[in-house]
Amino acid sequence: MNLAIKAQNISLTRGHQTIINNLSINIPKYSITRVTGPNGIGKSTTLKILAKLISPSSGQLQVTESIGYAPDLLPKNIKLSVSMFLQSIQNLHKTRHNTHDWFEYSEMLNISKYKDIKLQNLSKGTLQKVNIIQSLLKNASILILDEPFSGLDKTSEMLLIKHLQHLSSNKTIIYTSHETEIIPNFATHILNLEDNSYKSLTTVRTYKTITIPYMPNFNDLKILDQIKNSNINISNNIITIQVPKSQTNEVLKALINHGIEILEVKE
């Protein structure tokens, strides 16, 4: 098994209080792990340890890939506008291999109209979307999100879930969510901090990614009926379609029959 994170006997104590007690987990690459447990059990602290933002008191942690992190809340005193804040984050991480654009993400989450508003004046839901976008701009191999759905409307929840599912074809995702939130179960693994158990919910499906040129009228094509179980992402003037490996030939045939050029097919 290829691992994204390996933790052995991780513990964290503060004063006389044990926050994390003897946690051992192997998180596979390209999995989606939901961290669960009652309030106060240390979910946020566990994510900070896995993100290497704080060091455990004992144990060993192996994380060999880059990490994008979204805290449960951004600081409320940021006086930069949305555009200035996200552009500065983008500039820090932009390379010829990372061409992600903050404005594309802002349009995806429907906050482009707030681009000139200072972060300190945003609503909780809009600020949370900015928080999510800043974590995505690093284009890291591991994405760690603390309560990413908090404050989001249902439409934004579904957009984010769909995008995270798409990203899991080449990224490892770890997240927490409130027990009271009704979020569709899209995780492949569960880390339960009540008993430090880590289990697979399902066999991780094998996907292939099909890349085609951008088409303005793509959403209007009847082809969507044939690829309705696929994850579709539009970025940088291309469309990527993530399909279960078993359905790849069927989807390729449908695309070709519609006269759509196939740019690339990969695992």
Side-chain angles (χ1 to χ4, degrees):
M1 180 189 299
N2 291 324
L3 298 179
I5 295 177
K6 182 176 183 179
Q8 293 180 294
N9 307 118
I10 293 294
S11 294
L12 178 69
T13 57
R14 288 177 176 166
H16 299 292
Q17 183 180 10
T18 299
I19 309 297
I20 306 296
N21 185 30
N22 201 36
L23 175 65
S24 294
I25 49 174
N26 293 325
I27 300 180
K29 287 185 177 181
Y30 316 136
S31 59
I32 303 175
T33 296
R34 180 180 179 183
V35 181
T36 67
N39 289 339
I41 202 168
K43 296 191 293 291
S44 293
T45 302
T46 299
L47 292 195
K48 289 177 182 176
I49 290 175
L50 297 180
K52 305 184 78 172
L53 295 174
I54 59 178
S55 299
S57 303
S58 60
Q60 295 182 330
L61 177 66
Q62 298 178 22
V63 184
T64 58
E65 298 181 306
S66 58
I67 295 172
Y69 173 75
D72 56 343
L73 289 172
L74 280 177
K76 296 181 180 180
N77 59 349
I78 300 176
K79 297 181 180 180
L80 295 176
S81 67
V82 170
S83 60
M84 291 179 65
F85 176 75
L86 291 178
Q87 185 66 56
S88 65
I89 299 295
Q90 179 174 302
N91 291 343
L92 283 174
H93 300 295
K94 193 151 191 175
T95 67
R96 65 186 181 90
H97 299 295
N98 180 16
T99 58
H100 286 65
D101 185 80
W102 71 265
F103 194 75
E104 290 181 7
Y105 283 131
S106 72
E107 289 191 314
M108 180 184 79
L109 292 174
N110 195 29
I111 62 166
S112 56
K113 59 187 174 184
Y114 301 112
K115 64 184 179 66
D116 296 321
I117 306 298
K118 292 182 178 180
L119 268 64
Q120 61 182 0
N121 296 327
L122 296 176
S123 67
K124 179 182 178 181
T126 303
L127 185 63
Q128 182 67 338
K129 293 177 183 180
V130 174
N131 185 20
I132 292 164
I133 292 171
Q134 67 80 23
S135 70
L136 295 172
L137 286 174
K138 189 175 181 180
N139 196 27
S141 298
I142 301 172
L143 192 58
I144 298 179
L145 309 172
D146 195 355
E147 309 287 358
F149 303 105
S150 179
L152 296 188
D153 56 88
K154 293 301 179 183
T155 299
S156 297
E157 281 181 5
M158 296 310 299
L159 282 170
L160 179 56
I161 287 172
K162 184 176 181 180
H163 190 61
L164 292 176
Q165 288 176 314
H166 171 76
L167 291 177
S168 68
S169 64
N170 58 15
K171 297 183 189 299
T172 304
I173 297 164
I174 306 167
Y175 75 99
T176 62
S177 66
H178 290 300
E179 301 303 322
T180 56
E181 289 176 338
I182 304 175
I183 304 297
N185 186 14
F186 68 104
T188 61
H189 295 72
I190 291 286
L191 169 58
N192 186 345
L193 292 180
E194 284 193 277
D195 57 9
N196 283 353
S197 62
Y198 187 72
K199 65 180 181 180
S200 173
L201 297 178
T202 181
T203 302
V204 179
R205 300 174 74 180
T206 303
Y207 289 88
K208 283 194 174 183
T209 300
I210 302 169
T211 303
I212 64 175
Y214 173 70
M215 303 172 62
N217 63 334
F218 183 74
N219 289 334
D220 299 326
L221 297 179
K222 293 182 179 180
I223 183 69
L224 292 180
D225 294 333
Q226 295 162 279
I227 59 175
K228 59 185 177 181
N229 294 323
S230 306
N231 294 318
I232 302 170
N233 185 58
I234 301 175
S235 179
N236 296 329
N237 292 321
I238 61 171
I239 299 173
T240 55
I241 307 168
Q242 185 189 68
V243 299
K245 196 171 184 179
S246 60
Q247 299 176 20
T248 303
N249 289 339
E250 177 185 350
V251 172
L252 285 172
K253 182 179 179 180
L255 291 169
I256 292 170
N257 287 342
H258 281 78
I260 299 173
E261 180 186 2
I262 309 298
L263 297 179
E264 184 181 40
V265 180
K266 67 178 181 179
E267 297 287 345

